[in-house]
Amino acid sequence: MIFNSLAFAAFILVVGCVLAIFNAKPFLQPERAATAARLRHGVLLVASYVFCGWFDWRFCLALAATTAVVYFCALGVARGKRSKLWLRLGVVLPLVALAVFKYFNFFVSSVASALSLDVEALGTLKIILPIGISFYVFQAISYVVDVNRGKVEASSDFVKVALYLAFFPRLVSGPIVKAAYFFPQLEEKRNVGLKNLEIGVQIFALGLFKKIVVADRLGAFVDTVYATPNAFHGAVVTLAVVTYALQLYFDFSGYSDMAVGVAKGLGYDLPRNFNLPYLSRNPSELWKRWHISLSSWLMEYLYIPLGGNRKGKLRAHANLATTMLLGGLWHGAGWTYVVWGAMHGAALCVHKAFKDWRGKREPAANPSAVSKAFGAVATLAAIFGTFVWMTLSLIPFRAPTFGDAWDIFTRMFVWDDGIYRLYIWTPIYATFLLVASVVAYVVYRKRCAAASPEELEKLRKTGVDAFYPLLDLTKLSHLTLFTTFIYLLFGFAYFGDSAFVYAQF
Amino acid sequence: MSAKGKGARRVAIWAGKFFLANVFALVVLSIVGSWYYYGGQNFEAPIANETLDRPEPNSYVSRCVEGRGFARLDANGYNNAFYRERGWDLADVDALLQGSSYLESFQTSENETFVYRLNEAFENGPETLKFYSCGRSSHTFVTSTARYEDALKLFKPKKYAMIECFAVPSVADVEKSLNNDLKNFSGLPTKTKRILKWFRFLPWLHLKYFEGCVKPRLTAQKPAPQDATPEEKKASWTKLARKIRATSDKYGVTPIIFFHIAFGLNQDGTVFPRYDVEELAAFRAVCESEGIVFVDATQRMRREYEENNVWGYGFGNAELVSGHFNPDGHRILAEVLAETIRELDAKEKAKQ
């Protein structure tokens, strides 16, 4: 049951209607608040397991087992007695589950290929990857670690912990949420409501547009060229490589928006996962804007525990590279993902070395027009360079094998003849993204102009901020705009292969 | 006013706004739809059973969903721009072409279709030939052969009758064709036609419904495996070919079947046929043995790709290498058919 399906529309309608019952008068009385909250959480938990089991009922078992492990481990950690043992169990056991389901066959086949052995002789497992396991295992680990760090209290309410891991809007592909972010929301009286619905529907519609109008259509082109790169002219292959960068962004950010929208409609908040990543000026900024929930998880629970930059420059570079290597492997059980991670690790190391070499520079108090122009050109060049790097790194990410990646790569630069047919949706949607980015920039400048010095400092740190263009659906003009958008969304929707790219991870 | 009353009033006002917003949105969608996807719907019943249905005569078609198509249909409801441009009489036909949406050609401009190009090629030749298309979406080889006699009776071509084929017919298909087991579309009621004209987003929405709901179901329904033996197939094709031949003789035309289908692409850039090569050869042999001219355009399409990197199917705004003919595909097919007709003419002259 994916977000852009009729089954999900029916599912969310039923869940919304059931939850709306708790807005009735009898449930609003203060003495019944606790019961109502428990019931609401119970409904959401059941809905989440129905959602999970819709893919395959056995996925619920993996999810429930992970929940039971972290629930008891977190309580064990909080109790203080043998807390380190509980912590290790709480981290290792979910990782073992992830390793078995996701990586066992990969490692067996890698060993077999390295030693020229028969894979079948070594033995592989005939298992399917439980939906969302990569995401909820990371959430589970962060919960136990945060309990140990004292950032969040271990909950004795099993339903809360279970809902934290299984909450269906974010189950399939995140965003990865920390317990400290989610638990307080469960303490509040949150439920479906008109205002939440108004916002949630708009965010969901935006995500749906990104997915079914933009990403799926771009994906049709990318799939064709990646399947038969040698049939196409180098220009078409290059266009497909660029198109994949756009497709991946629209697909995953579209999914994230839909997740945020669904959660919002139910009364809950999820963090933003993307912040105009293709406006990044360097690899380090890119990872603060791309898949934010994963990069911040990797930073907090991998890079920093490895020593971060506290143990010398060399160690900091090694930690960065290791983090990105493992981050690459997290995406998929394949060496192409490891290479992708290694490429980003290398880019981050180079950027860090460059920053260390250059040192911190204070901006000039009154820059001349020439230096302003030079600065603008340098910024544009940096944005372009970062985008090109990201795009090139996505070749091994998208290609099934190294051989295929190499075919694509050489085809781009050899510029051999082949079918020459340019896909017009790529420039159209690239322009769309550019215009949206410019609008975001203009809004950002306006906010900067109106901000106090403290706010200004904060804004400068965030860089250009993405935002949801929310309308006031009580106004006729806004309602008309939104209705027209919805009709056009379905008119221009692409109905073909519509699986989310990140759902496979 | 009580709180309940106020609430009800607010809801009523919002419902009114919602209604107005929808009306405005539908107007916008109709304007965009007039350009993006309009026309060519099943508005009319056929004139004399020559096809199962046809679009509204003298209407226009504008489509951007696959390629960029524009056509102004003739007084019969078919796409024959060359006739209109030259002011030719629709009853004056030398070669009639029957076939599907490939022939209807709503994916390119009306003056890029292979029928237009054929007319162009034979306009100033030693002998002028007029090619008329009654191509209609979804009209496969089975439909065309079932309606072959009706089409010849109606359009009275003087020299050639050409039938498009993109799949070798199964035994069941042939039975369907021989028994003419196909229902005509009776035409839309006038009121519905008026609604479709005013609310131009409706065909567009229907297309989306088809793509989203019907097509996946059709794709999921795999065709039943053919259990007929080669002998049974041959016997069945022979019956059909004899019928075509006999009908052609009755109306004094030379029958031509032209076969085409996009090749598949291998990862290394080579192509593979997406049809049973042996079966096609057997079908071709049967047709030729019965005196039907058989043109296999696939080989020319393949050569154009291998020598010039030109691929005759697909568009830069839809499926890249599959789907309908693009302008290159139309050009190649026109060239193949023109060569065939010139050869036939030369042979005829040599006989005389």
Side-chain angles (χ1 to χ4, degrees):
Chain A
M1 183 161 39
I2 51 174
F3 284 162
N4 50 326
S5 66
L6 287 175
F8 182 75
F11 170 78
I12 195 67
L13 199 69
V14 171
V15 174
C17 288
V18 172
L19 285 172
I21 294 170
F22 298 107
N23 288 334
K25 252 188 189 168
F27 292 104
L28 296 179
Q29 286 159 7
E31 64 272 20
R32 286 184 185 157
T35 317
R38 266 201 299 279
L39 284 171
R40 277 201 314 269
H41 299 160
V43 168
L44 275 175
L45 185 62
V46 170
S48 298
Y49 270 76
V50 169
F51 180 81
C52 178
W54 200 276
F55 294 96
D56 190 319
W57 65 270
R58 289 166 297 182
F59 293 170
C60 296
L61 300 179
L63 181 58
T66 312
T67 308
V69 166
V70 293
Y71 173 74
F72 289 113
C73 289
L75 286 178
V77 169
R79 210 177 297 138
K81 217 175 171 185
R82 291 186 180 173
S83 64
K84 284 212 165 156
L85 176 70
W86 285 114
L87 173 67
R88 280 179 196 144
L89 281 176
V91 173
V92 171
L93 287 178
L95 280 179
V96 167
L98 186 62
V100 169
F101 282 111
K102 194 167 174 178
Y103 300 106
F104 183 80
N105 289 345
F106 164 64
F107 281 117
V108 168
S109 60
S110 297
V111 168
S113 126
L115 303 175
S116 307
L117 296 170
D118 180 19
V119 181
E120 294 306 315
L122 284 178
T124 51
L125 296 174
K126 286 190 170 51
I127 44 174
I128 43 170
L129 185 66
I131 197 87
I133 191 168
S134 306
F135 294 89
Y136 66 70
V137 158
F138 270 28
Q139 282 203 179
I141 293 169
S142 74
Y143 172 51
V144 180
V145 171
D146 282 354
V147 169
N148 184 57
R149 287 176 178 170
K151 284 187 177 175
V152 67
E153 276 184 30
S155 175
S156 58
D157 185 346
F158 187 81
V159 173
K160 268 188 192 171
V161 179
L163 188 55
Y164 163 62
L165 292 186
F167 189 49
F168 72 87
R170 49 134 304 277
L171 180 71
V172 178
S173 303
I176 300 165
V177 182
K178 285 174 198 155
Y181 183 89
F182 193 73
F183 277 5
Q185 296 188 41
L186 295 177
E187 302 299 330
E188 295 162 11
K189 194 206 147 290
R190 290 183 177 237
N191 202 3
V192 286
L194 280 181
K195 196 67 204 166
N196 286 336
L197 273 178
E198 186 186 343
I199 298 170
V201 162
Q202 291 183 63
I203 298 174
F204 185 86
L206 182 70
L208 194 64
F209 169 80
K210 285 181 178 176
K211 172 64 183 159
I212 66 172
V213 176
V214 184
D216 286 350
R217 204 173 282 279
L218 295 179
F221 168 60
V222 173
D223 290 349
T224 307
V225 178
Y226 267 77
T228 55
N230 291 306
F232 293 95
H233 190 280
V236 181
V237 175
T238 308
L239 188 71
V241 169
V242 175
T243 306
Y244 183 62
L246 295 177
Q247 183 207 345
L248 190 64
Y249 167 69
F250 280 112
D251 189 285
F252 195 20
S253 74
Y255 171 85
S256 300
D257 289 344
M258 282 192 251
V260 169
V262 171
K264 190 75 198 171
L266 297 173
Y268 294 85
D269 292 315
L270 289 179
R272 197 174 52 196
N273 227 359
F274 290 86
N275 182 17
L276 300 168
Y278 291 147
L279 284 187
S280 307
R281 290 159 295 182
N282 53 60
S284 145
E285 192 183 342
L286 176 73
W287 280 100
K288 283 177 190 145
R289 289 168 171 270
W290 177 278
H291 202 172
I292 299 165
S293 66
L294 174 71
S295 49
S296 59
W297 192 98
L298 289 172
M299 166 77 104
E300 212 169 310
Y301 302 99
L302 191 58
Y303 178 71
I304 291 173
L306 282 172
N309 53 8
R310 303 184 306 273
K311 297 188 176 176
K313 281 183 183 173
L314 200 66
R315 182 68 188 272
H317 284 99
N319 290 340
L320 256 184
T322 310
T323 304
M324 291 314 292
L325 214 67
L326 291 172
L329 190 62
W330 175 86
H331 280 83
W335 290 109
T336 48
Y337 293 109
V338 177
V339 166
W340 175 75
M343 286 171 80
H344 279 279
L348 286 171
C349 288
V350 169
H351 179 247
K352 191 171 171 50
F354 174 73
K355 262 195 341 189
D356 291 345
W357 168 76
R358 201 186 60 167
K360 204 174 180 186
R361 284 184 186 176
E362 287 300 322
N366 288 311
S368 65
V370 176
S371 73
K372 262 187 185 171
F374 180 76
V377 171
T379 302
L380 285 178
I383 290 172
F384 180 72
T386 309
F387 177 72
V388 168
W389 174 251
M390 178 62 169
T391 303
L392 289 177
S393 76
L394 288 173
I395 296 175
F397 188 88
R398 170 64 179 77
T401 63
F402 284 123
D404 297 328
W406 183 246
D407 274 352
I408 297 276
F409 194 74
T410 48
R411 201 85 194 156
M412 278 173 71
F413 293 100
V414 172
W415 216 251
D416 268 350
D417 262 349
I419 300 169
Y420 188 86
R421 190 163 298 157
L422 295 181
Y423 197 62
I424 65 154
W425 293 108
T426 303
I428 289 175
Y429 292 138
T431 310
F432 167 77
L433 184 59
L434 201 67
V435 169
S437 303
V438 169
V439 170
Y441 181 74
V442 170
V443 172
Y444 163 75
R445 296 293 295 183
K446 273 188 180 170
R447 279 181 189 165
C448 282
S452 65
E454 297 81 38
E455 285 171 333
L456 194 61
E457 190 55 32
K458 213 173 157 189
L459 275 169
R460 277 192 182 141
K461 273 185 187 163
T462 0
V464 179
D465 227 4
F467 61 94
Y468 291 116
L470 294 176
L471 301 166
D472 178 0
L473 298 185
T474 54
K475 287 182 183 166
L476 178 62
S477 55
H478 288 204
L479 197 58
T480 306
L481 207 62
F482 185 66
T483 319
T484 310
F485 173 72
I486 294 293
Y487 277 105
L488 288 176
L489 187 153
F490 284 106
F492 286 103
Y494 175 84
F495 291 104
D497 182 19
S498 59
F500 287 98
V501 176
Y502 261 69
Q504 62 183 304
F505 305 139
Chain B
M1 195 183 281
S2 69
K4 250 188 183 176
K6 270 184 188 169
R9 191 165 171 262
R10 262 212 314 264
V11 169
I13 290 173
W14 189 85
K17 284 179 184 173
F18 185 69
F19 176 76
L20 284 177
N22 271 277
V23 170
F24 181 81
L26 292 177
V27 169
V28 170
L29 206 68
S30 280
I31 293 167
V32 180
S34 305
W35 161 80
Y36 187 71
Y37 187 81
Y38 179 72
Q41 308 309 313
N42 300 345
F43 288 169
E44 304 286 334
I47 306 168
N49 296 335
E50 76 286 3
T51 46
L52 302 180
D53 54 66
R54 64 193 172 115
E56 188 187 12
N58 300 314
S59 62
Y60 86 93
V61 173
S62 177
R63 291 186 183 178
C64 300
V65 289
E66 189 189 7
R68 170 73 190 102
F70 181 83
R72 190 165 283 283
L73 305 180
D74 65 24
N76 292 329
Y78 299 109
N79 186 6
N80 290 287
F82 208 85
Y83 267 72
R84 188 187 70 238
E85 283 178 11
R86 296 296 184 274
W88 288 349
D89 181 2
L90 293 186
D92 186 11
V93 176
D94 294 308
L96 176 71
L97 291 105
Q98 281 182 284
S100 66
S101 49
Y102 289 96
L103 187 54
E104 191 181 51
S105 311
F106 289 162
Q107 296 76 33
T108 57
S109 174
E110 60 182 5
N111 53 10
E112 284 177 318
T113 70
F114 71 88
V115 183
Y116 187 97
R117 287 169 192 271
L118 276 171
N119 276 312
E120 221 169 21
F122 283 88
E123 186 186 15
N124 301 313
E127 189 192 1
T128 304
L129 283 179
K130 290 174 181 171
F131 293 82
Y132 187 84
S133 157
C134 62
R136 187 73 190 105
S137 176
S138 309
H139 283 52
T140 59
F141 183 69
V142 178
T143 326
S144 299
T145 50
R147 297 306 164 94
Y148 187 56
E149 183 161 7
D150 292 314
L152 293 185
K153 211 187 289 178
L154 177 70
F155 296 110
K156 299 182 185 66
K158 294 182 201 94
K159 286 200 83 169
Y160 301 106
M162 303 159 83
I163 307 169
E164 181 215 17
C165 173
F166 52 82
V168 175
S170 66
V171 172
D173 283 344
V174 171
E175 285 309 308
K176 240 186 198 174
S177 170
L178 291 173
N179 301 330
N180 198 354
D181 191 14
L182 304 158
K183 272 189 186 160
N184 277 4
F185 176 71
S186 51
L188 288 175
T190 319
K191 259 189 189 171
T192 316
K193 278 196 269 186
R194 207 172 293 155
I195 289 171
L196 282 171
K197 267 192 171 176
W198 273 99
F199 298 97
R200 294 184 174 187
F201 62 91
L202 286 175
W204 189 8
L205 286 187
H206 178 264
L207 170 81
K208 289 293 147 187
Y209 164 75
F210 180 81
E211 283 179 352
C213 302
V214 181
K215 209 171 163 187
R217 244 182 286 145
L218 292 177
T219 320
Q221 288 168 359
K222 286 180 186 164
Q226 292 190 359
D227 49 3
T229 62
E231 288 72 32
E232 284 169 333
K233 281 185 196 171
K234 200 178 163 188
S236 150
W237 294 334
T238 306
K239 266 199 268 179
L240 180 64
R242 280 188 184 152
K243 193 183 170 196
I244 293 172
R245 179 74 243 185
T247 313
S248 305
D249 288 345
K250 188 175 160 187
Y251 290 88
V253 291
T254 306
I256 300 172
I257 293 175
F258 59 100
F259 181 84
H260 72 88
I261 187 78
F263 274 91
L265 277 167
N266 291 311
Q267 200 184 2
D268 62 359
T270 56
V271 295
F272 65 91
R274 290 199 299 193
Y275 54 87
D276 186 333
V277 177
E278 284 176 18
E279 194 181 48
L280 179 67
F283 179 57
R284 178 183 189 148
V286 168
C287 290
E288 286 178 342
S289 70
E290 295 301 326
I292 298 171
V293 179
F294 195 95
V295 183
D296 179 6
T298 57
Q299 297 312 313
R300 180 62 173 273
M301 294 278 187
R302 177 187 196 146
R303 213 173 69 210
E304 281 282 339
Y305 166 63
E306 287 171 347
E307 290 174 6
N308 307 318
N309 292 305
V310 170
W311 193 264
Y313 298 83
F315 295 87
N317 65 344
E319 300 296 328
L320 207 61
V321 286
S322 55
H324 290 95
F325 291 132
N326 53 41
D328 282 325
H330 279 287
R331 175 184 55 76
I332 297 164
L333 188 61
E335 284 170 11
V336 175
L337 292 178
E339 278 166 25
T340 307
I341 285 166
R342 287 206 173 101
E343 276 171 30
L344 289 173
D345 280 354
K347 271 185 200 168
E348 203 182 307
K349 269 182 194 158
K351 266 188 203 169
Q352 288 165 357

